[in-house]
């Protein structure tokens, strides 16, 4: 099986003689160590993430895959400051945000270095804001003058192939695919270094899926780091430099996308590769799949 992946991204050579600059540019955009998240009350605590460590280099796209309930969205929420970890550290662009309170997180999000797109665009977009207001708001809170914000919003609309006539519409007046493109455009207006995408194409039909994946590939080419979360290995295969596999709240495998797909080491990863329809080469052996499922308790 062959999967097209960018070689230059996998090799990551620096070749710069300016050592300080090289060190600076190699500093991870996101560096997560030993991240633990519990849900529930003090007496009935349930572990959702158990000591996850993952870093994302500048310009790198990391796919995070795993079945429903494996902790993918919890990881996204923790990295966006929407759920408080019980242990571990999160460093974003060199800034240790692990102990940030609500206010500091809000300030950090306002700076727009880290952005997000969720599966349901209605969760990334305010239903009461027009497309234009959704796109200009992140700029206005940064103090960008109104006229410039509007111009930049228009430019990003074009980048996600949406017509200007949509600027006056509310999210509820758009199709699912249009809404998700607005959510992607909104995540980009502040020119972030890192975008966390939680199942960005899972709710879309195949035409919209292909289009959004195309937009994400352009972003990747433009040097934005992406964390692309999906339950479907197939949808991250063509875009991720590395793939991290979450199983029951733990990372069981991390590696170059090509290696994880072609030579999965963990039995759970093998199961995911076999159950991704677009990746499957030989008919999956039903007995083996059943045995794996039993072994892994999934
Ligand atoms: N708000 C919540 N309260 C309690 N448990 C939750 C909450 N959100 C998620 N969980 C639980 O945490 C685990 C991981 O969930 P989640 O991160 O949403 O997984 P995924 O995104 O991979 O489907 C699951 O067992 C889920 O039931
Ligand atoms: Mg999820």
């Amino acid at each position: 099986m062959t999967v097209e992946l960018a070689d230059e991204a996998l090799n990551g050579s620096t070749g710069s003689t300016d050592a300080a600059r090289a060190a600076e540019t190699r500093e991870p955009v996101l560096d997560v160590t030993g991240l633990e998240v519990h849900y529930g009350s003090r007496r009935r605590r349930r572990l959702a993430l158990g000591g996850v460590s993952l870093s994302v280099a500048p310009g790198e796209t990391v796919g995070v895959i795993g079945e429903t309930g494996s902790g993918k969205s919890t990881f996204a929420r923790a990295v966006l400051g929407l759920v408080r970890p019980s242990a571990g550290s999160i460093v974003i662009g060199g800034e240790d945000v692990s102990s940030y309170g609500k206010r500091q997180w809000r300030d950090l999000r306002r700076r727009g270095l880290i952005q997000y797109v969720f599966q349901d665009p209605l969760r990334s977009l305010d239903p009461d804001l027009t497309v234009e207001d959704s796109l200009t708001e992140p700029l206005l809170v940064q103090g960008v003058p109104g006229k410039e914000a509007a111009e930049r919003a228009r430019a990003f609309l074009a980048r996600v192939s949406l017509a200007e006539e949509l600027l006056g519409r509310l999210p509820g007046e758009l199709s699912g695919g249009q809404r998700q493109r607005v959510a992607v455009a909104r995540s980009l207006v502040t020119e972030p270094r890192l975008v966390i995408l939680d199942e960005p194409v899972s709710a879309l039909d195949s035409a919209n899926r292909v289009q959004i994946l195309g937009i994400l590939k352009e972003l990747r080419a433009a040097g934005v780091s992406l964390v692309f979360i999906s339950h479907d290995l197939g949808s991250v295969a063509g875009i991720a430099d590395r793939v991290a596999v979450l199983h029951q709240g733990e990372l069981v495998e991390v590696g170059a996308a090509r290696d994880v797909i072609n030579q999965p080491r963990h039995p759970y990863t093998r199961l995911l590769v076999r159950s991704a329809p677009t990746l499957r080469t030989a008919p999956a052996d039903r007995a083996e799949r059943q045995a794996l499922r039993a072994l892994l308790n999934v």
Side-chain angles (χ1 to χ4, degrees), residues 18-247:
D18 186 337
R21 199 193 141 100
E24 186 193 326
T25 52
R26 268 188 278 111
E27 181 180 74
V29 175
L30 175 68
D31 199 5
V32 171
T33 313
L35 187 68
E36 257 183 47
V37 176
H38 289 85
Y39 287 115
S41 62
R42 192 168 292 247
R43 276 195 304 141
R44 292 181 50 122
R45 292 207 322 163
R46 282 198 55 222
L47 187 69
L49 273 188
V52 167
S53 298
L54 184 67
S55 77
V56 180
E60 188 183 34
T61 292
V62 177
V64 177
I65 59 160
E67 290 208 336
T68 301
S70 56
K72 304 182 299 296
S73 293
T74 302
F75 177 77
R77 278 184 229 129
V79 167
L80 292 164
L82 303 174
V83 47
R84 182 171 267 280
S86 31
S89 79
I90 302 171
V91 179
I92 296 172
E95 186 172 336
D96 190 338
V97 302
S98 316
S99 59
Y100 276 14
K102 274 195 173 143
R103 202 192 185 128
Q104 285 166 302
W105 269 108
R106 201 185 57 214
D107 290 345
L108 179 73
R109 284 195 293 264
R110 278 190 175 178
R111 278 187 269 143
L113 289 176
I114 179 168
Q115 291 287 8
Y116 55 88
V117 174
F118 296 130
Q119 172 172 354
D120 176 4
L122 293 176
R123 285 191 58 218
S124 332
L125 298 172
D126 183 332
D128 299 324
L129 291 186
T130 62
V131 171
E132 177 157 28
D133 290 342
S134 269
L135 297 184
T136 52
E137 190 226 40
L139 296 169
L140 297 176
V141 298
Q142 287 186 347
V144 174
K147 192 157 167 269
E148 189 190 330
E151 276 163 16
R152 275 163 70 174
R154 269 163 217 268
F156 278 99
L157 207 64
R159 223 163 128 178
V160 298
S161 315
L162 286 175
E164 281 200 10
E165 67 202 45
L166 299 181
L167 280 169
R169 299 227 194 137
L170 293 170
E173 298 165 343
L174 299 170
S175 73
Q178 288 173 329
R179 273 203 289 265
Q180 193 61 309
R181 277 182 272 159
V182 173
V184 170
R186 180 186 155 88
S187 79
L188 300 181
V189 289
T190 57
E191 293 174 4
R193 292 183 62 196
L194 173 67
V195 184
I196 310 284
L197 305 126
D198 190 359
E199 308 264 14
V201 298
S202 302
L204 303 178
D205 59 36
S206 61
N208 277 306
R209 184 173 302 190
V210 167
Q211 201 164 27
I212 295 272
L213 286 171
I215 294 163
L216 298 181
K217 279 183 189 165
E218 279 174 27
L219 277 185
R220 177 178 173 276
V224 181
S225 300
L226 307 175
V227 173
F228 187 152
I229 296 172
S230 179
H231 66 279
D232 172 30
L233 178 54
S235 53
V236 308
I239 189 170
D241 301 306
R242 281 191 302 140
V243 168
V245 183
L246 258 183
H247 175 51

